Amino acid sequence: MTADPRQAQAGCLGKVYLVGAGPGDPGLMTLKGKTLLECADVVLYDALVSPEILAMIGNQAEKIPAGKRRGHHSLPQAEITQLLIRKAQTYPVVVRLKGGDPFVFGRGAEEMEDLLQAGIPVEVVPGITAGIAALAYAGIPVTHRHYSSSVTFVTGHEPVGKYRPPINWQAIAEASETLVIYMGVHNLPHILAELAAAGKDPNTPIALVRWGTRPDQTELVGHLSTILAQMEVTQFEAPAIAVIGKVVDLHQRLAPPTGPIKSNRPIS
Ligand SMILES: C[S@@+](CC[C@H](N)C(=O)[O-])C[C@H]1O[C@@H](n2cnc3c(N)ncnc32)[C@H](O)[C@@H]1O
């Protein structure tokens, strides 16, 4: 399928684009991603994509919610791929919109491979991942010259044995000074027990950032030994990113005093 002249003029060629929507703040959407949303014929989007970013989709586009959130119904992965293939055979510009970055715990590479195998051209448009941006909006840098020269991104949600051996938390505990855990809220008791067994100091700082970069961003800051009790008291829920390491202490100095930064706030 070839793009129509209007789409071609905007630089949207006939293919499937795997676009990263970033973590929520519409100001963090890339210009390339925004242009594609404006000229797409079809947009299949994930559950964590914020309403402000969905509002960037042009009126001509068919919008298809594709899931996925824990405990919520979503299209099975095979159906999403089949749908993408069917849409790409019918329309020139198809956008698969994913939260954060499509290649960071987003199954983007799997979808891309299936599409390429079906003979469909695909391009990836990276997005800003929540594991960096949500923390930054909470005043927590993932590295710092004095506190951390290494960072590990890990999933806390593992369908053990399904795809690969279980996560080696012992090795992860020692691997780097900053540990960033995606999808870890429900599994946090298990993760913390594994880290404790690996000898991680119970006084190590930890922060959880929920709905990072959005107006309703919330943070919970404590230590490995206290965080579960704090979560219970505050009824803290997913979706959230967890960060463990000395960089968390910077939250006190770097967090914006008025809460999350809004890139779309009016300039006074
Ligand atoms: C399936 S993963 C997708 C990650 C995404 N591809 C990325 O690069 O950010 C979903 C998990 O990312 C994290 N996440 C995504 N957006 C977030 C946000 N705005 N604030 C906090 N955590 C977020 C949560 O841990 C959530 O459970």
Side-chain angles (χ1 to χ4, degrees), residues 134-261:
L135 304 182
Y137 272 39
I140 303 171
V142 288
T143 69
H144 187 288
R145 203 153 59 92
H146 302 313
Y147 305 110
S148 171
S149 352
S150 51
V151 55
T152 297
F153 295 101
V154 60
T155 171
H157 170 73
E158 27 166 13
V160 174
K162 203 166 164 193
Y163 304 114
R164 52 175 194 272
I167 290 171
N168 182 345
W169 288 104
Q170 171 90 38
I172 296 268
E174 293 163 4
S176 61
E177 287 144 300
T178 305
L179 187 54
V180 177
I181 306 171
Y182 291 69
M183 296 171 279
V185 169
H186 291 277
N187 212 12
L188 205 57
H190 166 73
I191 295 168
L192 295 185
E194 292 278 335
L195 293 177
K200 199 92 181 161
D201 181 350
N203 284 322
T204 309
I206 177 170
L208 305 178
V209 182
R210 178 171 199 262
W211 289 130
T213 81
R214 302 186 186 215
D216 51 351
Q217 174 177 317
T218 48
E219 297 132 27
L220 196 60
V221 181
H223 296 99
L224 296 185
S225 58
T226 62
I227 199 75
L228 293 180
Q230 291 172 265
M231 283 172 75
E232 203 171 321
V233 169
T234 56
Q235 298 283 297
F236 195 91
E237 282 182 3
I241 283 278
V243 55
I244 296 173
K246 279 191 192 151
V247 286
V248 172
D249 287 338
L250 288 157
H251 166 77
Q252 282 188 327
R253 309 210 300 262
L254 303 184
T258 51
I261 304 152

Side-chain angles (χ1 to χ4, degrees), residues 13-14 26 32 42 46 48 57 60 73-74 85 87 119 129 131 157 171 173-174 176 188 190 193 241-242:
L13 304 175
K32 188 166 183 176
V42 181
D46 274 351
L48 288 184
I57 300 172
Q60 76 290 343
H73 273 299
S74 59
I85 292 171
K87 294 295 178 188
T129 190
H157 170 73
E174 293 163 4
S176 61
L188 205 57
H190 166 73
I241 283 278

